[in-house]
Amino acid sequence: MTTLLAEIECCLNSRPLTPMTEDLSDAAALTPGHFLVRSHLQQLQARAKYCNGKSAVLKENTLVIIKEDNVHPTSWPMGRIVAVHPGKDDVVRVVTLRTASGKQIVRAANRLAVLPNPD
C-alpha cells in the first residue's frame, strides 16, 4: 500500500503545469513538486483567467504536453510548437513539434495539452 501511494504521489507531483522560462529552446516546465523545494509561490501572484469555454489556441512557440499511449504515468513528454497547419476552415488540427531531444514530429492537435501561459 505504501508503494502504491508513493507512486501516486510521484505521478501527481511530476505533472507539468506551466513553462518555467520564455526561452524557446527550453522544454522545462513547472511541476507541483517544485513547490515542495522552491519558492515559486511568491512569483505567481497574478492569477490566470479562465478560458470561458474557449478552446486553447495553438500557436508557434507554445509549450505543450504530448499525449502518448503506453507511457508511464510519471513521464510527461513535452514539446514546443514549431509550425501550425490549419485546415480549409482555418481551424488548427495538426502541428509540428520540437521535442526536448530536438526531434521534430507531427501530431494531431487533439493529442496535445497546452500548458497555461503565465501572462
Side-chain angles (χ1 to χ4, degrees):
M1 186 62 160
T2 304
T3 304
L4 176 65
L5 292 176
E7 287 181 5
I8 292 171
E9 178 185 11
C10 181
C11 180
L12 292 175
N13 286 336
S14 69
R15 188 209 182 280
L17 299 174
T18 185
M20 286 186 74
T21 65
E22 296 297 322
D23 185 10
L24 302 179
S25 63
D26 187 16
L30 183 68
T31 65
H34 287 101
F35 294 111
L36 300 175
V37 294
R38 297 186 182 185
S39 59
H40 280 286
L41 292 175
Q42 290 82 15
Q43 297 174 2
L44 301 175
Q45 291 178 357
R47 294 182 181 234
K49 295 181 181 178
Y50 290 100
C51 295
N52 294 330
K54 297 178 185 175
S55 61
V57 177
L58 296 175
K59 57 185 179 180
E60 292 184 10
N61 301 324
T62 303
L63 187 64
V64 295
I65 301 171
I66 306 166
K67 298 177 187 174
E68 297 282 353
D69 296 328
N70 301 324
V71 176
H72 194 270
T74 60
S75 175
W76 301 94
M78 297 178 57
R80 285 212 182 257
I81 297 176
V82 175
V84 294
H85 309 288
K88 293 179 182 177
D89 56 355
D90 290 329
V91 175
V92 176
R93 292 189 177 88
V94 178
V95 299
T96 302
L97 301 167
R98 185 180 64 243
T99 62
S101 63
K103 183 178 175 183
Q104 286 196 1
I105 59 174
V106 177
R107 288 289 184 267
N110 64 349
R111 301 292 296 169
L112 304 175
V114 178
L115 293 176
N117 192 352
D119 294 337

